[in-house]
């Protein structure tokens, strides 16, 4: 049998799955299937003979029950925006799409809670919160198409995590269908509930390998009444850390974003992205894009100005601009958001999504850049990311004029060197993207062996027939 | 064999345990043992022939390895301040005290992280954070004697949870010794780490039944620069919820405490506690003790005043006072802290530590009070607690002049009625105290059966010989 299809169901099973969801929602036409087989950047291309689109939790249960009884592997999929291949059926598995479970079951502003089904698109969840004057703070590039179920299964991060936490931190309750088709109702809106073991966090971030999240109760927050956005030139990552600490300690509001950006990638943006201009008059080696929010309408701008004055006096700030309108703030964020894109015209890019303790970011950046340059002289490290979380996207662009294929062939070598430095600082080789297929083989090298054994035990207990997203994570 | 001693080790094993920690730290003298066998209120009294006080993680590992091989049950214990009997050896088990593991291994203010061993007393952890100008926000009545290991094992709540979260939310990393003696190192200081399943939350809140937490990396926060404390008379719990929402939406800082208190228990405090005076000129049915914090020195008081003015205009506030000095703030908190104590002189008290979604607190209070009064005419419900978390200590004092024993004999009946209302609002029968022994028999009645089965699966997987705190939780 074709290696790519070794997990494909036997054809006589397909009608039984079709019968659960109905013909209309059991997609087998190759053209209709195609968009669900490739991920956005075209890095992964899977194969599958059928995509199932259940319209209710009961249908999800029936699908899993049948899959479990017949040992038919499934790959769960939300908005298909994952970056590590977790949502792709590499070996002919059936695809279980959760996108029809798209009801917002309840919005409870007084309790600051909202219950969404797995297929609710993140932007819709944000809108539902805003409609009752609340904030659902999870925010990331793919928010127009990614889903709550995918966000939770991959434990998404994003730009608001420094203040509001990652996806895991936003979960109050979960509804999960287990491999055997049984539904576990942990859908509590409670902030405090000490009745036995916390089972939610087993499923959050498990990338669909332990159970299928069908709904979640998530936290809402008051909407900020004042927001200030500043673009700040800093002499070095070390001073950026000091500025972060000063901002968190002294500003009259909450630091809701704190993004570190190297000059080189700002130049890429100015050169390649439409409508991006250098925000400051002269060049500086590093920048911080900071957003501060407050529930109080007045005084936030003055507070940010004071912070910049104090930061300047202490040598943390070389120059800065505070957006004086919503449009100016949007322009600054636009520059931040194009950073992944503007690396493309510069040729090949070797990427790493890593985190280290915040205080170790400066040393990490120095050593990782040196290591990359030692392996590939002339290469251009262009790190940027969520300094407030210690989460750096350590991307390396090829040397000017180099052969792209030759450069990309050294991805593994550069990654190994970077990961070695990550581990030296007790960091993580996957800060916010997950393990999926991309980093599966690296996991045993970095994970505590006792933890890895416990992970395998959980997998055996919860999915004894190995039907849930096989070949991912473990 | 005596029922109370059915889990006691055979006497010939004791020297083998003693050999691990040394004579000095293997306590067998009944007088020396006594303080470790009773809990603070005298509700539980256990039995044990030996208390082990390991001085290193290696010794903990050796103890567990031997216990596992010889099927010797152990009860882990921190500061012995738990309220549900989780730390008490009811059946002659050995006691594993973690109090000698009391090193603060690292304080890293720039990364906002601190690594403490399990036996570090909570107040010491708070002091270590303050010493580097940071806040460790976990705060509860027992902080002078409870330990970090116990706080995490019981997932403690406390008065700061509305802003900073419960113990679970403060954990970055964990070090756990498993039942077989193997040590699992999850001691990361990272805020983002998506490398496989999250195993930390299996152990947090598991009350020592799945593994022994020996150390934890916890989150630190900037220390507030301004704090305002207000004592506010409100017409009803419903208006208190509205005031909470208004405060969270509009105040120029963070609502770091929001405690709802009924008038009757304030009267108990005025009557029985030393130095407590009525903070307001006239009587009101309900009060809120609110604390608001900010990183900005200026403007917070004005913002709180504005909130109270707005709240008054909307009918949420009948009267209020803002503490004008640290001493006044302390006096208000003193009144809050004596509330558990001042119920004693009023006779018997039937207690419930429950939570419901914040918006449901008013209906819950009304129905639970009516239910208690229907069962015991003349009884006096004196609810108070953390409204910001939906967490109410629903305590009921006996009717004036009633027979205390007769009253307390109806504890189960009152609790059943209260729990029924809790469940109607999808609440929790144990918000912050845990299950321990006290609520073990109630758990199957309130827990989703699939979740309960998964809990039992975890217990079997992690503690196949049942040596870890047997008879607790499950």
């Amino acid at each position: 049998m074709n290696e790519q299809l070794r997990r494909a169901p036997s054809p006589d099973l397909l009608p039984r799955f079709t019968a659960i969801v109905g013909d209309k929602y059991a997609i087998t036409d190759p053209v209709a299937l195609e968009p669900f087989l490739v991920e956005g950047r075209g890095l992964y291309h899977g194969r599958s003979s059928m995509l199932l689109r259940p319209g209710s939790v009961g249908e999800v249960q029936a699908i899993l029950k049948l899959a479990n009884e017949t040992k038919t592997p499934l790959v769960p999929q939300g908005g298909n925006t994952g970056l590590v291949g977790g949502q792709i059926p590499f070996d002919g598995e059936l695809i279980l799409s959760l996108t029809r479970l798209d009801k917002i079951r309840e919005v409870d502003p007084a309790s600051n809670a909202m219950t969404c089904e797995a297929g609710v698109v993140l932007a819709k969840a944000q809108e539902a919160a805003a409609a009752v004057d609340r904030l659902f703070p999870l925010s990331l590039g793919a928010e127009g198409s990614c889903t709550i179920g995918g966000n939770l299964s991959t434990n998404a991060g994003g730009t608001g995590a420094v203040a509001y936490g990652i996806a895991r931190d936003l979960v109050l309750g979960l509804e999960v269908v287990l491999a055997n088709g049984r539904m576990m109702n942990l859908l509590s809106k409670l902030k405090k509930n000490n009745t036995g073991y916390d089972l939610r966090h087993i499923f959050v971030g498990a990338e669909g390998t332990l159970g299928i999240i069908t709904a979640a109760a998530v936290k809402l927050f008051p909407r900020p009444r004042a927001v200030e956005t500043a673009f700040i030139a800093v002499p070095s990552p070390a001073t950026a850390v000091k500025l972060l600490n000063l901002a968190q300690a002294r500003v009259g509001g909450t630091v809701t974003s704190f993004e570190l950006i190297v000059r080189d990638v700002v130049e890429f943006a100015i050169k390649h992205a439409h409508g991006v201009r250098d925000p400051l008059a002269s060049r500086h080696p590093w920048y911080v894009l900071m957003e501060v929010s407050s529930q109080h309408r007045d005084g936030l701008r003055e507070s940010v100005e004071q912070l910049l004055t104090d930061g300047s006096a202490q040598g943390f700030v070389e120059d800065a601009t505070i957006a004086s309108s919503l449009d100016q703030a949007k322009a600054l964020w636009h520059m931040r958001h194009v950073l992944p894109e503007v690396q493309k015209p510069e040729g090949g890019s070797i990427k790493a999504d890593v985190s280290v303790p915040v205080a170790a970011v400066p040393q990490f950046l120095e050593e990782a850049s040196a290591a990359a340059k030692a392996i590939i002289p002339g290469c251009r490290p262009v790190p940027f990311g969520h300094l407030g979380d210690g989460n750096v996207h350590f991307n390396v662009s090829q040397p000017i004029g180099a052969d792209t294929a030759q450069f990309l062939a050294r991805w593994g070598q550069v990654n190994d060197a970077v990961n070695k430095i990550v581990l030296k600082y007790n960091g993580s080789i996957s800060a916010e993207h997950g393990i999926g297929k991309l980093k599966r083989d690296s996991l045993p090298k970095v994970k505590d062996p006792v933890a890895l054994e416990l992970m395998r035990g959980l997998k055996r207990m919860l999915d004894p027939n190995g039907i849930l997203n096989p070949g991912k994570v473990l």
Side-chain angles (χ1 to χ4, degrees), chain A residues 82 94-95 105 155 214 283 349 366 387 394:
Chain A
L94 293 182
I95 307 172
R105 293 190 191 162
N155 188 22
T214 50
R283 296 153 144 262
S349 170
E366 199 163 306
L387 181 63
F394 188 79

Side-chain angles (χ1 to χ4, degrees), chain A residues 30 32 43 250 279 417 425 468:
Chain A
L43 279 184
R250 294 297 163 93
Y425 290 109
L468 294 172

Side-chain angles (χ1 to χ4, degrees), chain A residues 208-222:
Chain A
T209 62
L210 297 179
I212 305 295
I213 295 173
T214 50
V218 295
K219 290 181 192 167
L220 299 181
F221 294 81

Side-chain angles (χ1 to χ4, degrees), chain A residues 61-288:
Chain A
Q61 292 186 256
I63 291 169
L64 286 182
K65 189 164 182 291
L66 177 58
N68 198 44
E69 284 165 7
T70 58
K71 300 193 177 173
T72 307
L74 297 165
V75 175
Q77 194 179 87
N80 190 14
T81 62
L83 295 169
V84 290
Q87 76 279 22
I88 302 298
F90 286 97
D91 292 339
E93 301 93 334
L94 293 182
I95 307 172
L96 176 63
S97 168
L98 279 303
T99 52
R100 281 181 69 216
L101 297 183
D102 62 352
K103 274 192 287 297
I104 294 176
R105 293 190 191 162
E106 189 201 30
V107 186
D108 179 355
S111 302
N112 280 315
M114 170 169 72
T115 304
C116 297
E117 291 186 343
V120 171
V121 169
L122 174 53
K124 293 265 177 200
Q126 293 166 345
E127 285 161 22
V132 295
D133 199 26
R134 290 292 182 277
L135 174 74
F136 181 57
L138 191 65
S139 176
L140 39 113
E143 62 196 29
S145 46
C146 65
T147 61
I148 294 292
N151 294 149
L152 298 187
S153 291
T154 59
N155 188 22
T159 52
V162 61
Y164 300 102
I166 51 180
R168 179 183 306 288
D169 301 318
L170 302 174
V171 173
L172 293 167
L174 272 192
E175 182 185 86
V176 181
V177 177
L178 300 182
N180 58 15
R182 293 185 73 186
M183 192 263 277
M184 181 164 64
N185 184 352
L186 303 171
L187 263 189
S188 146
K189 291 191 287 183
L190 305 173
K191 292 187 180 145
K192 287 185 180 173
N193 182 11
N194 274 347
T195 52
Y197 309 151
D198 193 318
L199 304 172
R200 301 168 301 171
H201 295 292
I202 293 175
F203 301 96
V204 176
E207 305 184 32
T209 62
L210 297 179
I212 305 295
I213 295 173
T214 50
V218 295
K219 290 181 192 167
L220 299 181
F221 294 81
R223 283 215 296 172
R225 304 291 152 185
V227 175
E228 296 292 343
T229 309
F231 190 78
I232 308 160
V234 296
S236 66
T239 48
V241 171
K242 287 178 182 163
L243 183 65
L244 168 67
N245 280 294
L246 188 68
Q248 289 179 323
R250 294 297 163 93
V251 92
T254 305
V255 177
T256 41
S257 288
F258 202 92
E259 305 279 306
L260 179 69
I261 310 172
V262 74
R263 170 72 197 178
D264 288 358
V265 77
V266 170
E267 298 214 344
F268 291 0
I270 295 166
K271 208 157 116 192
H272 303 300
H274 182 72
V276 170
R277 278 183 304 182
D278 206 336
L280 297 172
S282 51
R283 296 153 144 262
H284 301 272
W286 293 88
Y287 301 96
V288 165

Side-chain angles (χ1 to χ4, degrees), chain A residues 348-371:
Chain A
S349 170
I350 295 173
K351 294 172 193 298
D353 164 47
V354 302
S355 74
V356 293
V358 175
V361 169
Q363 299 99 295
F364 164 75
L365 287 175
E366 199 163 306
E367 293 175 31
S369 297

